[in-house]
Amino acid sequence: MKHLIATIVLTVAAQTVFAQQPIYLDESKNIEERIEDALNRMTLDEKIAVIHAQSKFSSAGIKRLGFPDFWTDDGPHGVRPDVLWDEWEQAGQTNDSCAAFPALSCLAATWNPQMARLYGESLGEEALYRNKAMILGPGVNIYRTPLNGRNFEYMGEDPWLASRMVVPYVQGLQSKGVAACVKHYALNNDEDFRHQVNVIVDDRTLHEIYLPAFRAAVTEGHAWGIMGAYNLYRNQHNCHNEILLNQILKRDWQFDGVVVSDWGGTHNTEEAIKNGLDLEFGTWTDGLTMGKTNAYDNYYLADAYKRLIREGKYTERELNDKVRRVLRLFFRTTMNKHKGYGFLCSESHYEVARSIAEEGIVLLKNDKVKTKKNGAAMSLLPLRLDDAKRILVVGENAIKMMTVGGGSSSLKAQFEILPLDGLRKAIGNKVEIDYARGYVGDTVQSYNGVTVGRSLYETRTADVLRNEAVEKAKGADYVIFFGGLNKSDFQDCEGHDRKQYGLPYGQDELVEALLTVNKKLVFVNISGNAVAMPWMSRVPAIVQGWFLGSETGEALANVLLGIVNPSGKLPFTWHAALNDVPAHRLNAYPGIWRTQHDIIDEEYKEGLFVGYRGVDKFKTKPLFAFGHGLSYTSFSLGKAIADKSEMTREDKISFTLSVTNTGSCAGSEVVQLYVSDVKSSLPRPLKELKAFKKVFLQPGETQNVTLTIDVDALSFYDDSKQNWVAEPGDFVALIGTSSDHLTSKVKFKLR
Ligand code: BGC
């Protein structure tokens, strides 16, 4: 009897445990098994509910089965403040400020993948604390034209550099249990008419220039999400594009994550069903009109899809694939019990933000000028305080917050140290710091509900402001001009491109006027894009200051004062004129409107020859080359030696050279390796970046640097074979410190 009771008790207990622990909740089970189990329990309504939004930034979980709602947020430089459920306006929370990290163009300029890892991890911790399961970023669209208003959100012009930086960002973020959503896949390389542009590009260029960073994010970074772009490719919107999504992303790259539409990037139910879209967000429409509120059931992947299944036009085959992916995403994020709780605005996050800012700032130019003390000629930077009584700071960007504005990447930073404040804090009262605004660009007091820190209200005319700056510049020991672009419309801002290459708001005239009274001028360009600099040869020191996030002023002051030795390198070519940019030279931007159609065909006529590849082909002379960046110390590179003269397809080949810090302060140098294919069956760029390494050296220190490549670095995409090929023959490795300063040339053969 006792035995029987025990058996009954045990059986009931086992059943209870079983009932409490279905396979999908059993963490000891394989994730694919859990997905199948959950899928089998879902109703059609539940399946449809998880593949489209339920608010501006969330989609539904499966309440009945214990899956919480899924929250996304921008991206990519910090966690965006909350907006209302169904509106773009701020929700007015008091706990949604964040640490703002430098823009991705700055991250790319560090040429330091470890920084990208730290970036991803820190952002992941902030996202966790804010209960966001997916960050809408990073962005890896290629810098094709300096007019693209969103280049600041991306990682430059080179597919290899962007690939090496995106992988650790994605891994760092996802190591915290927060999904990346790599964007905007693909060919979203300008903003004007982004909903209408149909990109025409040959397969080689697509695979060699525009896809590698996405591919690396997927195949190496194992990104859990990717965002379809607004534009079209081969006449089909990229959020439901058969070639880009079904064939390349899901079949060739074996992407097992979720394709998220860009907000309002879905246009057609049947294409969305068949062509790889998994999660629809931001559609403003009821299918016909714009501006409906709470129209989520009218989304392309909502009622319309359900109807087609009920009518028998589609089975649940495609739907189940989408739902499996969404469930996989849930298990990786919201259902991951082992992820932490995260934390926000911590000292560690600010330290990461500052380190990235300091490593990304690029010293473009630093000529010698005569010093006051003994008349000796010395580089203008770093600033020498013992030789100075008064420093004049000029420019609106010295007092303008840049974490606010620019579109969807706009943040509500807990703080942002402005350049003027950073300098004042670092210099204290050792030297007088005077300020003159010099020009007015922007007087906006708030952006989407976030107040801009310092009042930019101004009533004085441009002439008055310029004259004041020139007057104050007379006799100043240094004039530091913080100019460049800003995050206003038609500047560095989503939705529109810049209208011109030149600096806005009369800054060129102001530079010229300042030069007439003071030659000790430092121009700090705040932007995510190159700008024309007609005065370049006459301004002794130029610094690329990006958009640096919360620690802007601190990082800039540290570099200007030499507390930090700059080591950033340009992630794009700084062309002298817009017409030197291959896309503009060939009249291949912004495309041609189709008569009577709402479509603009943009043919990438320059093909592979983007950025420095174009410089080599068209023999133009940029103001500053891709990979360029100076330091306060100097380095000398020894001759590189290869570990073999011939390699096979299975081999790797390594090049070793010594790098010595020959100057008087510690600093970092980036050793860059470009490959040149001596003879190939298809035309190739003269050289292409294939490896790089950043080394830190004390004064007088020498280190050996080894750069290793394999057959992939020698391959090109053969469109006739629809595959990558490496042709046997001669190659040259060109090694140096920028694309226009390559001091070692080593020949080798592929057998
Ligand atoms: C942008 C995306 C962004 C989304 C959500 C879109 O307009 O293109 O990058 O993630 O809005 O804010």
Side-chain angles (χ1 to χ4, degrees), residues 240-549:
H240 28 79
N241 188 294
E242 160 66 19
I243 298 174
L244 290 178
L245 299 178
N246 279 348
Q247 296 179 20
I248 297 176
L249 178 70
K250 291 185 172 174
R251 182 195 65 197
D252 298 347
W253 300 348
Q254 295 283 298
F255 176 66
D256 70 358
V258 167
V259 174
V260 178
S261 73
D262 198 345
W263 270 232
T266 314
H267 300 268
N268 181 302
T269 294
E270 295 207 44
E271 283 188 7
I273 294 172
K274 292 184 290 191
N275 296 347
L277 179 66
D278 302 309
L279 196 40
E280 178 186 3
F281 267 99
T283 310
W284 297 296
T285 173
D286 61 355
L288 294 169
T289 55
M290 262 177 60
K292 281 242 169 170
T293 55
N294 277 306
Y296 300 99
D297 287 342
N298 298 319
Y299 269 33
Y300 293 100
L301 286 184
D303 286 355
Y305 190 3
K306 210 175 356 184
R307 213 173 305 124
L308 289 173
I309 289 179
R310 291 216 166 112
E311 285 165 4
K313 178 138 195 215
Y314 291 90
T315 64
E316 288 190 30
R317 189 174 64 91
E318 295 88 352
L319 178 62
N320 286 344
D321 177 63
K322 296 179 200 300
V323 176
R324 279 190 189 99
R325 290 169 182 274
V326 171
L327 287 168
R328 199 172 292 122
L329 183 66
F330 288 169
F331 284 122
R332 287 169 163 167
T333 56
T334 52
M335 296 296 279
N336 170 4
K337 288 198 199 127
H338 304 286
K339 66 181 188 305
Y341 294 97
F343 46 91
L344 199 66
C345 297
S346 68
E347 234 172 80
S348 60
H349 293 171
Y350 288 120
E351 204 174 304
V352 166
R354 191 174 58 253
S355 309
I356 295 168
E358 289 169 348
E359 271 208 39
I361 292 170
V362 184
L363 180 61
L364 292 172
K365 188 179 173 197
N366 194 16
D367 281 358
K368 291 195 163 121
V369 289
K370 279 203 180 133
T371 56
K372 220 166 52 178
K373 243 187 197 163
N374 52 14
M378 291 177 89
S379 302
L380 187 59
L381 290 173
L383 304 173
R384 288 176 187 82
L385 298 185
D386 54 356
D387 202 19
K389 286 205 170 54
R390 186 170 66 91
I391 294 175
L392 175 67
V393 172
V394 178
E396 183 175 285
N397 285 352
I399 57 162
K400 181 167 165 55
M401 274 180 83
M402 294 292 184
T403 52
V404 182
S408 58
S409 64
S410 182
L411 297 172
K412 185 159 111 190
Q414 188 195 37
F415 66 82
E416 176 179 342
I417 305 172
L418 299 170
L420 179 61
D421 298 338
L423 264 184
R424 285 207 163 123
K425 185 169 158 239
I427 293 178
N429 45 19
K430 282 182 229 153
V431 176
E432 183 196 344
I433 302 206
D434 206 356
Y435 175 69
R437 182 161 173 172
Y439 66 90
V440 176
D442 195 353
T443 52
V444 167
Q445 299 301 306
S446 79
Y447 181 86
N448 192 19
V450 177
T451 314
V452 174
R454 185 188 295 241
S455 172
L456 293 174
Y457 182 70
E458 181 61 74
T459 52
R460 290 172 294 170
T461 65
D463 283 351
V464 171
L465 289 167
R466 187 165 58 234
N467 292 342
E468 179 201 37
V470 172
E471 260 328 292
K472 288 186 172 185
K474 290 179 187 163
D477 295 294
Y478 294 97
V479 179
I480 309 176
F481 188 150
F482 291 93
L485 307 176
N486 60 34
K487 299 276 193 76
S488 307
D489 239 353
F490 302 105
Q491 298 288 316
D492 277 343
C493 184
E494 180 179 341
H496 287 291
D497 294 334
R498 297 163 62 198
K499 287 182 190 290
Q500 81 231 355
Y501 193 38
L503 284 170
Y505 318 130
Q507 292 178 71
D508 287 339
E509 291 79 0
L510 181 55
V511 169
E512 296 290 356
L514 292 168
L515 280 173
T516 60
V517 298
N518 198 325
K519 301 269 180 270
K520 286 165 111 185
L521 179 63
V522 181
F523 190 83
V524 183
N525 187 63
I526 304 292
S527 75
N529 264 311
V531 297
M533 291 182 167
W535 33 259
M536 195 281 270
S537 61
R538 284 167 289 122
V539 173
I542 305 176
V543 173
Q544 176 55 21
W546 311 114
F547 298 114
L548 299 176

Side-chain angles (χ1 to χ4, degrees), residues 45-56:
D45 281 341
E46 283 167 339
K47 288 180 185 177
I48 291 287
V50 299
I51 61 162
H52 64 85
Q54 60 166 2
S55 77
K56 277 279 178 263

Side-chain angles (χ1 to χ4, degrees), residues 210-226:
Y210 295 99
L211 294 187
F214 289 104
R215 190 185 60 193
V218 169
T219 60
E220 295 175 58
H222 303 291
W224 298 336
I226 202 162

Side-chain angles (χ1 to χ4, degrees), residues 56-57 72-76 80 88 136-137 150 153-154 183-184 188 191 194-195 227-228 230 261-264 284 407-409 494:
K56 277 279 178 263
F57 284 98
T72 68
D73 208 355
D74 287 296
R80 178 180 176 160
W88 288 105
L136 305 173
R150 283 188 101 169
E153 287 190 59
Y154 305 140
K183 67 194 191 183
H184 305 90
N188 183 184
E191 284 295 289
R194 58 184 175 166
H195 297 276
M227 185 188 290
Y230 282 135
S261 73
D262 198 345
W263 270 232
W284 297 296
S408 58
S409 64
E494 180 179 341

Side-chain angles (χ1 to χ4, degrees), residues 562-584:
I563 297 163
V564 165
N565 189 355
S567 63
K569 297 277 183 174
L570 282 180
F572 52 71
T573 304
W574 201 294
H575 294 280
L578 193 60
N579 207 38
D580 289 350
V581 178
H584 294 271

